[in-house]
């Protein structure tokens, strides 16, 4: 019997992802360079804001001790907090303050790799005979040329810098270590049982402190094909010596063994929320092995089909897509989880992706609010556990083309721009395209400081402090305070999110747990679907993903009332049957007669 609609707290919870460096600096907070940087105390000071939005669980990207080569996804000590963010005591306080508000904290678990400054790695690289040598993946050079220069063991490219090898040479010991993201992030060797024990220990440490669970960074990359085969050529070999080797470490041969062990050794002992970040996997059978109700692995994963809709083979590149493709991706995963008793996560933004309002709608002044609310309506009415990303609730958009590339701070963007300037130096067209790709795809767009108010530095950090990253130029008008207080003929983006999350909770049997049926599938611009509760309560969602007015035939029984639209404050006055006219980027939610 399916347990899909059996209620669970982790299914109904609203999760809010915080990018800690950019969320909120507490008064007086500065890092060593005197720049404004978000802190744990800052997060605690904003819990009431999150509570009023409708958030239950706060997930923060890594705040552990780290050299910040990849903004904390390079961890040097799993049981300590980076001083830039505060202390373990600050996190204890955050957990306690969450509890007071009936909220919980979720941590990021980054255990595919550590920082190259983690003591485990310092030991490992110190000599070939060190007991920790085998905690990482060391290999001899494939060959050496006449001058003695070594060649990496295979042709895999770095994920965050595709011009470079995924292997890093250590001159002291004459071997390469695997570092699929950057040389600062050596991959742990999960084949070694001591490594796994160390990970279980870290997890228990935080769970015992009362955290709700984990978002697990690239957890489907922990098992590598042990023969380390050459990757097929997909990037132009004239300009790319190295090629994506992802297929040899995504959902690798022992991944499920390790996930089961994690479940047995740790997760089964706690009542947790777990979400695995699993890029690059599309097979339903494979995904169900992790998120199926009886899988004994994880509650859910992030499936990247929707946010990778414009990704060809590497992230920093473009691919055309259309609304029909978007509709079919969303519908596919809604249906798969219902039919096969799995569980979805619902998200469209995170710290690795551009802003959704810029990517899927129209972020011009005229349509931006409508677009952001359209995406909110879609997400708040889809089945699964919903994730809202910092700033999404006020419709922050991508940084504009005019920003100098030096404003971008992310290692991936820096590597990409360096690559463009090297290999396309005599090709102005390609260089221009590279610049455009940065404006459309860089991870930095999600990482600009939160726009709290019209106060100096948008209320993100003290007035006399320079923020670590440039704040979007529109903060004086686009900010949380203005949107919370807004009074007008329609709701602000923030108010629309608040309304949607409340509605979702009140009708969890429909929106969280209900059935899903796509309607008018062939329409090229409008996404329509019906959600139905176990008791037969039906709601129709209609989303115009175009900047033009659309006519759409209502396929269901009469609509009783239109509960909301992104053009109105309350109920919308629209046709109840027959032809429905949708304004540009209009989305509406209707109750269907029983
Ligand atoms: O990201 C994994 C990663 O490779 C992403 O770029 C992913 O492929 C993409 O989002 C799919 O659209 C995780 C972290 O989220 C990221 O910030 C880190 O840089 C990376 O792991 C290494 O820890």
């Amino acid at each position: 019997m399916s347990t899909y609609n059996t209620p669970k707290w982790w299914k109904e919870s609203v999760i809010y992802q915080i990018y800690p460096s950019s969320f909120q600096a507490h008064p007086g907070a500065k890092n060593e360079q005197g720049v404004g940087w978000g802190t744990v105390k800052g997060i605690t000071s904003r819990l009431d804001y999150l509570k009023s939005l409708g958030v239950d669980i706060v997930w923060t990207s890594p705040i552990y001790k780290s050299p910040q080569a990849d903004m904390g996804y390079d961890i040097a000590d799993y049981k300590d907090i980076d001083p830039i963010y505060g202390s373990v005591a600050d996190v204890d306080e955050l957990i306690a303050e969450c509890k007071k508000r009936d909220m919980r904290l979720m941590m990021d678990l980054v255990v595919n790799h550590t920082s190259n400054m983690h003591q485990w790695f310092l030991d490992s690289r110190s000599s070939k005979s060190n007991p920790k040598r085998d905690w990482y993946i060391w290999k001899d050079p494939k060959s050496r040329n006449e001058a003695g220069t070594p060649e990496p063991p295979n042709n895999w490219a770095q994920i965050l810098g595709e011009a470079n090898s995924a292997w890093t040479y250590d001159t002291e010991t004459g071997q390469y270590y695997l570092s699929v993201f950057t040389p600062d992030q050596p991959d742990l060797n999960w084949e070694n049982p001591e490594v796994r024990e160390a990970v279980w220990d870290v997890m228990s440490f935080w769970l015992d402190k009362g955290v709700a669970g984990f978002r697990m960074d690239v957890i489907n990359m922990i098992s590598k094909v042990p023969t380390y085969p050459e990757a097929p050529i997909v990037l132009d070999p004239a300009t790319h010596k190295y090629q994506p080797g992802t297929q040899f470490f995504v959902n690798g041969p022992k991944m499920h063994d390790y996930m089961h062990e994690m479940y047995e050794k740790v997760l089964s002992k706690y009542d947790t929320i777990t979400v695995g970040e699993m890029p690059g996997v599309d097979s339903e059978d494979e995904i169900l092995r992790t998120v199926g109700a009886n899988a004994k692995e994880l509650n859910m994963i992030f499936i990247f089909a929707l946010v990778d809709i414009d990704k060809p083979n590497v992230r920093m590149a473009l691919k055309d897509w259309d609304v029909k493709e978007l509709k079919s991706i969303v519908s596919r995963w809604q249906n798969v989880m219902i039919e096969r008793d799995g569980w979805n996560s619902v998200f469209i933004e995170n710290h690795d992706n551009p802003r959704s309002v810029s990517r899927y709608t129209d972020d011009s002044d005229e349509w931006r609010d409508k677009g952001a609310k359209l995406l909110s309506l879609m997400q708040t009415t889809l089945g699964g556990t919903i994730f809202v990303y910092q700033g999404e609730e006020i419709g922050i958009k991508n940084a504009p083309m005019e920003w100098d590339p030096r404003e971008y701070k992310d290692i991936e963007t820096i590597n990409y721009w360096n690559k463009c300037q090297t290999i396309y130096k005599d090709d102005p067209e390609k260089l221009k395209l590279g610049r455009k790709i940065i404006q459309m795809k860089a991870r930095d767009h999600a990482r600009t400081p939160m726009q709290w108010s019209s106060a100096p530095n948008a209320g993100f950090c003290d007035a006399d402090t320079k923020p670590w990253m440039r704040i979007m130029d529109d903060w004086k008008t686009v900010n949380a305070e203005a949107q919370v207080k807004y009074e007008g003929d329609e709701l602000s983006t923030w108010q629309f999110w608040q309304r949607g999350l409340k509605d979702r909770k009140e009708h969890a049997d429909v929106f969280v747990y209900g059935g899903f049926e796509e309607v008018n599938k062939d329409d090229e611009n409008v996404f329509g679907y019906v959600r139905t509760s176990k008791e037969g309560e039906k709601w129709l969602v209609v989303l115009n993903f175009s900047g033009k007015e659309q006519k759409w035939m209502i396929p269901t029984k009469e609509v009783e009332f239109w509960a909301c639209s992104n053009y109105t404050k309350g109920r919308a006055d629209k046709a109840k049957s027959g032809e429905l006219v949708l304004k540009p980027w209009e989305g509406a939610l209707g109750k269907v007669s029983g």
Side-chain angles (χ1 to χ4, degrees), residues 272-291:
T272 57
I273 179 164
T274 51
V275 47
E277 191 209 22
M278 294 207 176
V281 51
D282 185 60
S283 150
E284 292 166 16
D285 290 343
E286 194 49 30
I287 288 174
L288 265 295
R289 284 178 74 183
T290 297
V291 305

Tab-separated table of all heavy atoms in Angstrom, residues 272-291:
chain	number	residue	atom	x	y	z
A	272	THR	N	14.590	12.281	11.498
A	272	THR	CA	15.265	13.384	10.806
A	272	THR	C	14.603	13.758	9.488
A	272	THR	O	13.810	13.004	8.941
A	272	THR	CB	16.714	13.008	10.415
A	272	THR	OG1	16.646	11.824	9.615
A	272	THR	CG2	17.585	12.786	11.604
A	273	ILE	N	15.021	14.899	8.975
A	273	ILE	CA	14.707	15.271	7.592
A	273	ILE	C	16.012	15.170	6.803
A	273	ILE	O	17.047	15.673	7.231
A	273	ILE	CB	14.087	16.681	7.498
A	273	ILE	CG1	13.808	17.035	6.033
A	273	ILE	CG2	14.941	17.764	8.151
A	273	ILE	CD1	12.858	18.206	5.855
A	274	THR	N	15.958	14.471	5.673
A	274	THR	CA	17.172	14.305	4.879
A	274	THR	C	16.865	14.579	3.414
A	274	THR	O	15.889	14.070	2.865
A	274	THR	CB	17.717	12.867	4.988
A	274	THR	OG1	16.659	11.940	4.720
A	274	THR	CG2	18.298	12.606	6.357
A	275	VAL	N	17.712	15.397	2.815
A	275	VAL	CA	17.566	15.659	1.380
A	275	VAL	C	18.939	15.584	0.732
A	275	VAL	O	19.878	16.244	1.162
A	275	VAL	CB	16.833	16.999	1.100
A	275	VAL	CG1	17.371	18.137	1.923
A	275	VAL	CG2	16.881	17.371	-0.379
A	276	GLY	N	19.033	14.730	-0.258
A	276	GLY	CA	20.315	14.524	-0.918
A	276	GLY	C	20.424	15.395	-2.155
A	276	GLY	O	19.509	15.436	-2.972
A	277	GLU	N	21.537	16.093	-2.280
A	277	GLU	CA	21.772	16.804	-3.530
A	277	GLU	C	22.306	15.782	-4.519
A	277	GLU	O	23.375	15.202	-4.298
A	277	GLU	CB	22.791	17.943	-3.335
A	277	GLU	CG	22.834	18.845	-4.554
A	277	GLU	CD	24.178	19.521	-4.782
A	277	GLU	OE1	25.207	19.028	-4.276
A	277	GLU	OE2	24.214	20.521	-5.477
A	278	MET	N	21.575	15.526	-5.582
A	278	MET	CA	21.985	14.482	-6.529
A	278	MET	C	21.937	14.979	-7.970
A	278	MET	O	21.036	14.626	-8.730
A	278	MET	CB	21.095	13.245	-6.358
A	278	MET	CG	21.261	12.551	-5.028
A	278	MET	SD	20.852	10.804	-5.151
A	278	MET	CE	21.253	10.239	-3.493
A	279	PRO	N	22.944	15.765	-8.353
A	279	PRO	CA	22.945	16.214	-9.746
A	279	PRO	C	23.234	15.064	-10.704
A	279	PRO	O	23.807	14.040	-10.303
A	279	PRO	CB	24.086	17.248	-9.792
A	279	PRO	CG	24.772	17.213	-8.487
A	279	PRO	CD	24.071	16.273	-7.579
A	280	GLY	N	22.821	15.232	-11.950
A	280	GLY	CA	23.247	14.320	-13.020
A	280	GLY	C	22.594	12.959	-13.037
A	280	GLY	O	23.080	12.062	-13.713
A	281	VAL	N	21.506	12.739	-12.293
A	281	VAL	CA	20.835	11.436	-12.376
A	281	VAL	C	19.404	11.650	-12.846
A	281	VAL	O	18.692	12.529	-12.374
A	281	VAL	CB	20.924	10.638	-11.049
A	281	VAL	CG1	20.481	11.454	-9.863
A	281	VAL	CG2	20.114	9.356	-11.124
A	282	ASP	N	19.021	10.828	-13.836
A	282	ASP	CA	17.716	11.017	-14.464
A	282	ASP	C	16.874	9.736	-14.398
A	282	ASP	O	15.672	9.759	-14.601
A	282	ASP	CB	17.946	11.409	-15.928
A	282	ASP	CG	16.643	11.732	-16.624
A	282	ASP	OD1	15.954	12.662	-16.157
A	282	ASP	OD2	16.292	11.040	-17.601
A	283	SER	N	17.518	8.611	-14.088
A	283	SER	CA	16.799	7.335	-14.114
A	283	SER	C	15.824	7.238	-12.946
A	283	SER	O	16.187	7.394	-11.783
A	283	SER	CB	17.816	6.190	-14.052
A	283	SER	OG	17.247	5.080	-13.404
A	284	GLU	N	14.564	6.960	-13.280
A	284	GLU	CA	13.538	6.859	-12.227
A	284	GLU	C	13.851	5.706	-11.273
A	284	GLU	O	13.727	5.838	-10.052
A	284	GLU	CB	12.159	6.683	-12.861
A	284	GLU	CG	11.743	7.946	-13.605
A	284	GLU	CD	10.550	7.772	-14.532
A	284	GLU	OE1	9.823	6.758	-14.400
A	284	GLU	OE2	10.344	8.654	-15.384
A	285	ASP	N	14.248	4.561	-11.833
A	285	ASP	CA	14.553	3.404	-10.977
A	285	ASP	C	15.653	3.770	-9.981
A	285	ASP	O	15.581	3.457	-8.798
A	285	ASP	CB	15.043	2.217	-11.821
A	285	ASP	CG	13.913	1.631	-12.645
A	285	ASP	OD1	12.736	1.922	-12.319
A	285	ASP	OD2	14.201	0.914	-13.618
A	286	GLU	N	16.662	4.433	-10.506
A	286	GLU	CA	17.801	4.783	-9.678
A	286	GLU	C	17.392	5.761	-8.564
A	286	GLU	O	17.761	5.600	-7.403
A	286	GLU	CB	18.866	5.405	-10.602
A	286	GLU	CG	20.230	5.552	-10.053
A	286	GLU	CD	20.804	4.319	-9.380
A	286	GLU	OE1	20.465	3.176	-9.762
A	286	GLU	OE2	21.589	4.508	-8.427
A	287	ILE	N	16.594	6.748	-8.912
A	287	ILE	CA	16.158	7.748	-7.927
A	287	ILE	C	15.252	7.114	-6.869
A	287	ILE	O	15.383	7.384	-5.676
A	287	ILE	CB	15.495	8.941	-8.657
A	287	ILE	CG1	16.585	9.753	-9.369
A	287	ILE	CG2	14.714	9.833	-7.682
A	287	ILE	CD1	16.102	10.882	-10.245
A	288	LEU	N	14.370	6.213	-7.322
A	288	LEU	CA	13.485	5.541	-6.362
A	288	LEU	C	14.259	4.674	-5.373
A	288	LEU	O	13.823	4.467	-4.252
A	288	LEU	CB	12.445	4.701	-7.115
A	288	LEU	CG	11.080	5.363	-7.375
A	288	LEU	CD1	10.354	5.639	-6.070
A	288	LEU	CD2	11.132	6.651	-8.174
A	289	ARG	N	15.406	4.181	-5.788
A	289	ARG	CA	16.233	3.392	-4.852
A	289	ARG	C	16.655	4.241	-3.657
A	289	ARG	O	16.974	3.723	-2.597
A	289	ARG	CB	17.486	2.856	-5.552
A	289	ARG	CG	17.197	1.677	-6.463
A	289	ARG	CD	18.455	1.206	-7.158
A	289	ARG	NE	19.349	0.473	-6.247
A	289	ARG	CZ	20.540	0.005	-6.601
A	289	ARG	NH1	20.976	0.205	-7.833
A	289	ARG	NH2	21.295	-0.635	-5.732
A	290	THR	N	16.675	5.555	-3.842
A	290	THR	CA	17.028	6.452	-2.732
A	290	THR	C	15.801	7.008	-2.016
A	290	THR	O	15.768	7.064	-0.794
A	290	THR	CB	17.909	7.613	-3.248
A	290	THR	OG1	19.128	7.067	-3.747
A	290	THR	CG2	18.235	8.590	-2.138
A	291	VAL	N	14.779	7.405	-2.763
A	291	VAL	CA	13.655	8.124	-2.129
A	291	VAL	C	12.371	7.315	-2.041
A	291	VAL	O	11.343	7.841	-1.605
A	291	VAL	CB	13.367	9.482	-2.824
A	291	VAL	CG1	14.622	10.335	-2.874
A	291	VAL	CG2	12.801	9.285	-4.230
